[in-house]
Amino acid sequence: MKQPFPLPLEKAGAIGVFDSGYGGLTILNEIRKKLPHYDYIYLGDNARTPYGTRSFEVVYEFTLQAVKKLFEMGCPLVILACNTASAKALRTIQQKDLPYIAPDRRVLGVIRPTVEVIGSLSKNGHIGLLATTGTVKSYSYPLEVEKLYPHFNVSSQDCPLWVPLVESGEAKNAGADYFVQKYIQQLLDKDPDIDTIILGCTHYPLLIDKIRKYTPSHIRLVAQGEYVATSLEDYLHRHSEIERYCRKEGNCRFFTTESIEKFKESASIFLQYEVEVQSLNLE
Ligand code: DGL
């Protein structure tokens, strides 16, 4: 049942982790490794994935629906474990919507924690970004990098076929090689001096073996999970007003906008354990 907004924060709830599909599970895994004692709710909008090719307005609308749903389910804090949603919706939700719908709750993204670490990872400041078309077109990464490391140079390549390859369970199959090699080559053609590549989509760690295969060995590949987890840990240390509302029973529940069977089957690519899943509607 829908609850009226604003939603005051009155009791402890799970930390919400949202993605357009399965990719956010790579982030959830790392967060749970680092912070196992908290409760989590994972929500995948699998029925409407991919977000990467959708307009700003649509990604914003879908993401806001998901955030509101997670707040209704009691989450004091929601992590947008999706670069596309972080790039296209996070700022507007934080600045425009949160003050009205839930002024004491928080929404965090995955771009800032990733950008923060590249300063210590890159030796020459030549950064490559592999991401969805939506994330690349938003310029969120180059803009964030510019703020923290003005002398760095970011070259970006969108990889529109990688998410469909992962979502359809083809990540480990031979057919995927062509598109993995193609986008990496296109990125390196833009800047042959790249020494660090950000995997700026939460689905891409599932293609890591093939990405590694076609990337020169001196280039560092940056998957986001562990950095997002470290950043969340740090955030919770610094924000006791949110942390005290994060329930600590070590439970994790999974929700999808698609069918339960489909989620279970595909989630097994991302998770090494059986999950209990429930279906919900975001519209
Ligand atoms: N996993 C999402 C991201 O990190 C993108 C998937 C999609 O296109 O929906 O950008």
Side-chain angles (χ1 to χ4, degrees), residues 165 168-178 180 207 210 213:
L165 282 170
S168 55
E170 294 292 334
K172 301 235 180 299
N173 296 342
D177 283 60
Y178 174 81
V180 171
L207 284 165
K210 291 198 193 291
K213 180 170 160 194

Side-chain angles (χ1 to χ4, degrees), residues 89-141:
L90 177 64
R91 184 138 313 171
T92 314
I93 290 175
Q94 284 175 331
Q95 292 175 358
K96 185 171 142 287
D97 299 298
L98 264 190
Y100 296 101
I101 62 173
D104 5 312
R105 300 176 199 241
R106 291 291 172 266
V107 183
L108 303 173
V110 289
I111 294 179
R112 180 78 185 199
T114 311
V115 169
E116 278 170 359
V117 298
I118 58 159
S120 58
L121 300 179
S122 174
K123 291 197 170 52
N124 67 6
H126 288 257
I127 308 299
L129 170 71
L130 296 167
T132 65
T133 307
T135 300
V136 169
K137 279 198 176 153
S138 73
Y139 290 105
S140 298
Y141 272 97

